[in-house]
Each structure stands twice: as C-alpha cells, then as structure tokens.
Amino acid sequence: MTFDNIDKKLLEYLQADSKQTNKELSNKLNLSVTAVYERIKKLEKEGFIDKYVALVNKDLVEKSFVAFCHIKLIQHSQNFVMEFEKEVKDLSEVLECYHISGDYDYLLKILVKDIAAFREFLVKKLTSISHIGSTHSMFVINEVKHTTTISF
Amino acid sequence: MTFDNIDKKLLEYLQADSKQTNKELSNKLNLSVTAVYERIKKLEKEGFIDKYVALVNKDLVEKSFVAFCHIKLIQHSQNFVMEFEKEVKDLSEVLECYHISGDYDYLLKILVKDIAAFREFLVKKLTSISHIGSTHSMFVINEVKHTTTISF
DNA sequence: GTTGAAACAGGTTCCCC
DNA sequence: GGGGAACCTGTTTCAAC
C-alpha cells in the first residue's frame, strides 16, 4: 500500500495527541477534513494504528517503582520457553517482557507501588514461575525519557 | 482527592481503548453517561490521565529492530549527567532512557529499522554523545509482552 | 449520583471536482 | 485523490430530582 510522508506526519500527530479534531489535523497537514478522515481510516484498517489509549500518570496512582529484571531460564527447551512466556504474560506487574540476546534470556520491566511491593512481587510471584534459573534486578532511579512515539 | 474503585476501573477501560463512547463506558460501569463524563473530566483535570495517544504498529512502519543499551559514563559529576541526559532526550531513536542502579548507569530502549540502522545509530549518534564511557547492547529477539496499561 | 433534553461540535457520508 | 455541504452520532451543558 501507499504510505507517504503525509501519512507519517499524520501518525506522528496522532501519536502525540489522539484527541485532536480532524479539522486541527487538516490545518497542520494542509489537507481537507475529508482527506484527513480517509487517511486515518486507512491507517486504522491497514493496521498501522494498533489502538487508541489513555496514558496514565503512574505516580498519581501509586505505581512509582519501576525495575528491570533480567531472567535466565534453567533450560531452553521449547516447552520451558513457552510455559515461562505464558506465565509472565499473566503477571499484571510485568508491563514488558523481551527475549533478548546476551548473558540473560529475558528482560522484564516491572511496575509496582514501592520497593516493598517489588520484594513481594519478586519472592511471591516472579521466582515461583516455572523454569527460572537466576534473576538480576536493576532499579530505576530516574526516568529520563519515556515516549510511545515512533519518529520517522 | 477521592479516587475510588470506579475510577480505577474507568482508567483501566480508557487505557485499553480510549475511543469508547461514554455510553459504552456507562454500561460497563453501571453509571449514567453524565457521571462517566464528569469522572473522566476530573481524572483529566487532576492529571491522572497524561494524554491520549495512538499506538502505532512498529513492524508496519519499518521500525522492527528493538535493542536495549546499557551505558556507563566516564564521570558522574552533575554537569556530565545533565549534559548526557539532555542529549539523549533529543535522539528520536531512543524511546526510553532510565537512570538505573547496578553496574551501568543508564538503560536505553532503542527503536530502528534493522540491525544496519542500529549499527549506524550506535556509531554515528550514540557514541558521539558527550561523556560516554562504555556501552553494552542487547538485541530483542522477541517481544513477549508490551503493554502501556497500569493494572490496579 | 440519576434522568432527560437541548445545544453544539465533530465524525461520517455523499456528491462534486 | 481532494474539497464542500449535509447528515448524524456523541459530547457537553443544564435543570430537576
């Protein structure tokens, strides 16, 4: 499909603020409202836009503690990998989980209330998951940058 | 301020899909449309909702390569830290940057087109930033989980 | 907090170029 | 593909309970 520079601009605007009206977008893009509307519908239909969401301030809702956790599995048989990944997906404290190259197998981003809640999570939930060998945690001291926006 | 269980439910719904109508939300929450409307406005005004955004499918827009990059600074004087953080914020390939505990000072999440683009980014942009001591990169083999939703 | 209704704005459709 | 106008759905405001 065609995906031109106007579409890229449009995606950048919608990633910054999805509540803008088509009229506002049409001004920024020098297009008519109809054209903007059709381009957005096209981007939605073709899957360029996954979904529209509200981003919540984690500090105000008492989820201020962020940690990254490296995890090594005991074994790497397909069964072990699949079971581990399935169980991790069900943990609401785990916002992100990546299978990565390097010394460890996985990198997890964890969000909880405070360090006590993190300890609780680590002991009660994470390390009780099947097939975990070792873990290594890093605490976030400061969030320097955090965006969901892909730039073109 | 009051922030009750209905507000939490409401935030969960809006984090999952911010394009729902107030009528749909009122059904799920067993509230009137007016009540939903007022709660949302309250959550926006008090800062619980940072913003509304579109989430873009990175693979369709040719940004399929994700890497995490550990960075150690040469020195940790306030000037060095501030300069480094300022420069990192301006790099569009860096979606996230955290000051963390542990062997390295920072953890960065990088998004680019492919491994060639990553090499380019590393050599041309990242390592030319001031005060960087050493770096250590980990490539994402598979994204097991990735959500922006905070659970309550 | 609820209901209902009125006013308005924006999304959506249609027809034109 | 883009533009303009009509239409229609959802948001916003308000009054009364």
Side-chain angles (χ1 to χ4, degrees), chain A residues 53-117:
Chain A
V53 303
L55 296 183
V56 166
N57 182 314
K58 63 181 163 49
D59 297 318
L60 284 186
V61 297
E62 304 223 294
K63 301 282 184 185
S64 294
F65 192 81
V66 184
F68 284 91
C69 206
H70 278 297
I71 291 181
K72 205 180 293 193
L73 296 190
I74 294 174
Q75 255 194 43
H76 300 87
S77 66
Q78 202 187 353
N79 275 357
F80 278 27
V81 167
M82 280 171 53
E83 268 186 63
F84 167 78
E85 294 190 358
K86 187 180 174 321
E87 291 185 54
V88 155
K89 278 184 199 164
D90 290 337
L91 296 177
S92 65
E93 295 90 345
V94 177
L95 296 193
E96 305 176 33
C97 171
Y98 302 94
H99 187 185
I100 57 167
S101 66
D103 295 337
Y104 285 89
D105 295 319
Y106 291 95
L107 179 63
L108 275 61
K109 184 179 172 185
I110 316 290
L111 181 67
V112 289
K113 183 184 177 195
D114 51 27
I115 198 164

Side-chain angles (χ1 to χ4, degrees), chain A residues 31-32 34-35 39:
Chain A
L31 282 179
S32 69
T34 308
R39 277 175 184 268

